[in-house]
């Protein structure tokens, strides 16, 4: 697992017009090549009357899979520039289709590259981009004397509390970046004089969207 990677949480649509040609970029998060190919087919059916539906997608936490198509445009003028925008932004698990309605004027190689790149940039502007980080759900058990110390500790170190359970004892579930598990474990032990019980429940990717923590199993 990589410690973190950037992707699209919510895809968007962007458009630009160049010499009367319309370029419509549709961005979609995808997890597999099958999803990416199904999305491309979906866009081709939606925009069946367009001259071109060029595509690019990047998959894998380390951008292991990269594919693109010029869909009839001159070689290297559409799919590759589109993919370069995605990889240049550090994105993965994302697909984009740029639909072109021809306006009657040839744009030339440079013009096409700029138009397809620019359309993708517009699509990304209208998408929600996130950074997924690899973290651990850490369950911390304490008696009631330890509540204040732990709440202070987690607040100071900006560790989000995802759940709490109050019975004869108290259990907090906190989300800790994997790189900080040892640091937080040590701090909890010191704060509670070794009285707290700690258990790593599971590891997962998480992201922060509008101040809210989202977990991805």
């Amino acid at each position: 697992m990589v410690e973190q990677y950037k992707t699209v949480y919510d895809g968007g649509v962007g458009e630009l017009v160049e010499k009367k040609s319309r370029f419509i970029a549709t961005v979609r998060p995808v997890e597999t090549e099958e999803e990416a190919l199904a999305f491309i087919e979906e866009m081709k059916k939606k925009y069946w009357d367009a001259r071109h539906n060029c595509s690019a997608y990047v998959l894998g936490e380390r951008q292991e899979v990269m594919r693109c198509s010029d869909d009839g445009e001159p070689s290297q003028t559409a799919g590759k520039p589109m993919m370069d925008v995605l990889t240049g932004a550090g994105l993965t698990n994302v697909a984009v289709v740029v639909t072109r309605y021809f306006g009657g004027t040839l744009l030339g190689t440079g013009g096409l590259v700029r138009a397809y790149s620019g359309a993708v940039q517009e699509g990304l502007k209208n998408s929600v981009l996130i950074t997924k980080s690899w973290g651990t759900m850490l369950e911390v058990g304490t008696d009631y004397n330890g509540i204040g110390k732990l709440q202070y500790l987690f607040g100071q170190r900006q560790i989000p509390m995802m759940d709490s359970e109050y019975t004869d004892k108290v259990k907090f579930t906190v989300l800790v970046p994997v790189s900080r598990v040892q640091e937080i474990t040590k701090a909890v032990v010191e704060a509670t004089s070794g009285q707290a019980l700690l258990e790593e429940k599971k590891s997962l990717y998480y992201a922060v969207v509008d101040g809210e923590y989202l977990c991805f199993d």
Side-chain angles (χ1 to χ4, degrees):
M1 297 291 179
V2 297
E3 198 164 312
Q4 58 179 213
Y5 65 90
K6 285 179 66 178
T7 188
V8 174
Y9 176 63
D10 192 12
V13 178
E15 182 176 336
L16 60 79
V17 177
E18 187 70 31
K19 294 183 180 176
K20 297 184 179 178
S21 277
R22 286 178 67 206
F23 295 84
I24 305 164
T26 307
V27 179
R28 180 82 58 85
V30 290
E31 294 290 330
T32 65
E33 198 150 18
E34 289 76 16
E35 279 185 33
L37 294 173
F39 162 60
I40 292 166
E41 284 305 309
E42 177 191 330
M43 290 300 102
K44 285 183 175 182
K45 287 177 183 175
K46 179 177 180 179
Y47 296 110
W48 60 272
D49 58 340
R51 177 71 67 91
H52 305 281
N53 283 288
C54 304
S55 59
Y57 58 88
V58 184
L59 297 168
E61 293 160 6
R62 295 178 173 85
Q63 298 181 321
E64 295 94 336
V65 178
M66 293 186 279
R67 305 267 191 273
C68 61
S69 168
D70 294 311
D71 193 39
E73 291 282 29
S75 178
Q76 305 285 300
T77 62
K80 178 66 162 55
M82 290 163 58
M83 192 166 66
D84 287 345
V85 174
L86 299 180
T87 56
L91 293 168
T92 191
N93 290 355
V94 58
V96 60
V97 173
V98 174
T99 301
R100 182 189 183 187
Y101 284 95
F102 186 56
T105 303
L106 297 176
L107 300 182
T109 301
L112 287 172
V113 169
R114 286 190 298 274
Y116 279 100
S117 300
V120 176
Q121 289 165 352
E122 288 300 312
L124 291 178
K125 282 181 192 174
N126 295 322
S127 302
V128 179
L129 309 182
I130 60 173
T131 298
K132 285 188 175 182
S133 301
W134 188 240
T136 296
M137 286 290 192
L138 189 65
E139 188 177 87
V140 183
T142 182
D143 58 24
Y144 279 78
N145 293 325
I147 294 175
K149 295 172 186 175
L150 291 175
Q151 288 175 330
Y152 177 78
L153 185 155
F154 297 140
Q156 283 292 99
R157 294 172 190 253
Q158 295 183 308
I159 299 298
M161 292 176 56
M162 307 301 289
D163 195 17
S164 56
E165 182 181 321
Y166 295 85
T167 55
D168 54 327
K169 298 280 189 180
V170 180
K171 282 183 185 175
F172 294 130
T173 302
V174 293
L175 181 55
V176 183
V178 70
S179 59
R180 298 185 65 194
V181 170
Q182 284 186 313
E183 168 210 334
I184 297 304
T185 297
K186 184 170 180 283
V188 167
V189 170
E190 289 176 354
T192 61
S193 303
Q195 297 301 303
L197 299 173
L198 295 105
E199 182 181 356
E200 294 184 22
K201 301 299 286 185
K202 64 178 178 179
S203 295
L204 43 68
Y205 277 111
Y206 70 92
V208 182
V209 179
D210 295 330
E212 180 182 351
Y213 282 82
L214 302 177
C215 296
F216 303 89
D217 289 325

